[in-house]
Amino acid sequence: MKIISQNTAFGGMQGVFAHESKACKGEMTFAVYVPPQATSEPRPVVWYLSGLTCTHANVMERGEYRRMASELGLIVVCPDTSPRGVDVPDELTNWQMGKGAGFYLDATQEPWAEHYRMYSYITEELPVLIREQFRVDMDRQGIFGHSMGGHGAMTIALKNPGRFRSCSAFAPIVAPSSADWSVGAFEKYLGADKAAWRRYDTCALVEDGARFPEFLIDQGKADGFLDNGLRPWLFEEAVKGTGIGLTLRMHERYDHSYYFISTFMDDHLKWHAERLG
């Protein structure tokens, strides 16, 4: 692991780091905020997964999480959204595919399968590095994200309920198997057989028996992607009768931007802190 930058903020440390990833076969960059409490004791960790076109930097620079993370004593890890590098396949004119659009899945189709293994990277490889390098309590983990990252957070939580105690999302893509935003990418990454897509689809996972105690979702009613890409009401319908708790908050006038995310970031961090102890 190499240090790209380290800055003091609210008594803690905001760092950006890079390392060679075996899962993604190339250098990956990620950000970590370490609160001041971590100098003396292991602290809970919350993973934040970003959306399409983003890197680790979007939430780090505009998400406004450090003050509350410092107050609550939460370590916040912000990975990148895809592999990078000159040898990594991409579609330069398609923002919904390739670099910046890893969809937190393990691709099975060429030419994507070699590098696009973000599910394995987030759930297996990066946690080992975080455990080795930072004073984290890995028995207290939460996960959240925005848009494509909300999709990633919710699917990862549903498939790993023994690892994560809390999950929330800002404007998540809850049914990527049928959303305009993601159908094309899913077919290219996973092939034409839609049965393979269900492993990375929040609503389908619930339909197939996956369970997680509860979710918090915040969604702006002025979000231009609400009807074709996000559709949180599909998840609301999917969890009926399952025992899965859902707090779905629909907000007038808010859009899909980081103005929306930063407004409700404190609420999400408090949600996780309450469940992580």
Side-chain angles (χ1 to χ4, degrees):
M1 190 178 79
K2 66 181 181 182
I3 299 171
I4 295 176
S5 65
Q6 288 183 306
N7 300 94
T8 300
F10 297 99
M13 183 275 295
Q14 175 65 69
V16 179
F17 309 92
H19 73 115
E20 285 296 317
S21 167
K22 292 181 180 179
C24 297
K25 291 185 169 57
E27 186 175 82
M28 295 293 288
T29 302
F30 62 95
V32 180
Y33 178 71
V34 181
Q37 296 91 329
T39 59
S40 59
E41 62 179 359
R43 299 303 304 170
V45 58
V46 182
W47 302 79
Y48 179 89
L49 307 185
S50 291
L52 286 161
T53 75
C54 293
T55 69
H56 68 281
N58 295 75
V59 68
M60 185 182 76
E61 295 171 355
R62 295 184 286 171
E64 301 181 19
Y65 58 82
R66 279 172 289 269
R67 180 188 59 80
M68 184 56 64
S70 175
E71 180 179 322
L72 298 171
L74 295 174
I75 293 172
V76 182
V77 180
C78 308
D80 201 348
T81 55
S82 76
R84 308 280 174 174
V86 295
D87 297 328
V88 175
D90 192 19
E91 290 189 2
L92 295 176
T93 60
N94 183 2
W95 61 277
Q96 296 169 329
M97 185 69 199
K99 294 178 184 177
F103 277 96
Y104 304 101
L105 51 76
D106 284 350
T108 58
Q109 306 299 302
E110 298 302 331
W112 314 100
E114 182 178 5
H115 295 280
Y116 285 81
R117 298 184 54 79
M118 289 301 295
Y119 179 80
S120 291
Y121 177 69
I122 297 294
T123 62
E124 298 174 13
E125 184 175 17
L126 189 55
V128 172
L129 187 63
I130 296 299
R131 183 187 298 112
E132 292 173 348
Q133 299 291 334
F134 301 94
R135 190 169 287 169
V136 296
D137 182 350
M138 298 300 274
D139 291 328
R140 294 189 287 168
Q141 295 187 64
I143 189 166
F144 69 143
H146 171 229
S147 193
M148 178 185 73
H151 136 77
M154 294 174 73
T155 57
I156 288 171
L158 282 164
K159 292 196 283 188
N160 298 274
R163 177 183 300 185
F164 297 99
R165 294 191 187 181
S166 57
C167 181
S168 68
F170 302 98
I173 307 171
V174 300
S177 295
S178 59
D180 291 350
W181 267 21
S182 42
V183 166
F186 268 46
E187 183 166 4
K188 291 175 183 177
Y189 285 139
L190 301 172
D193 183 3
K194 292 188 177 181
W197 302 10
R198 298 183 68 83
R199 294 176 295 157
Y200 301 104
D201 184 300
T202 301
C203 289
L205 283 167
V206 171
E207 291 169 5
D208 292 343
R211 295 292 181 264
F212 196 78
E214 58 182 335
F215 295 91
L216 166 65
I217 295 177
D218 276 312
Q219 173 66 61
K221 288 186 176 182
D223 191 321
F225 306 110
L226 180 58
D227 292 331
N228 295 325
L230 307 173
R231 306 174 297 169
W233 49 84
L234 296 180
F235 185 64
E236 187 175 34
E237 185 66 28
V239 300
K240 286 182 178 178
T242 65
I244 296 173
L246 173 62
T247 301
L248 173 59
R249 308 192 301 184
M250 303 293 295
H251 302 280
E252 298 286 351
R253 302 189 307 277
Y254 283 95
D255 58 18
H256 200 68
S257 71
Y258 267 87
Y259 296 108
F260 158 63
I261 295 169
S262 62
T263 299
F264 299 103
M265 178 62 78
D266 282 4
D267 289 355
H268 283 245
L269 291 175
K270 290 176 181 177
W271 166 278
H272 288 279
E274 288 171 0
R275 286 149 184 82
L276 297 178

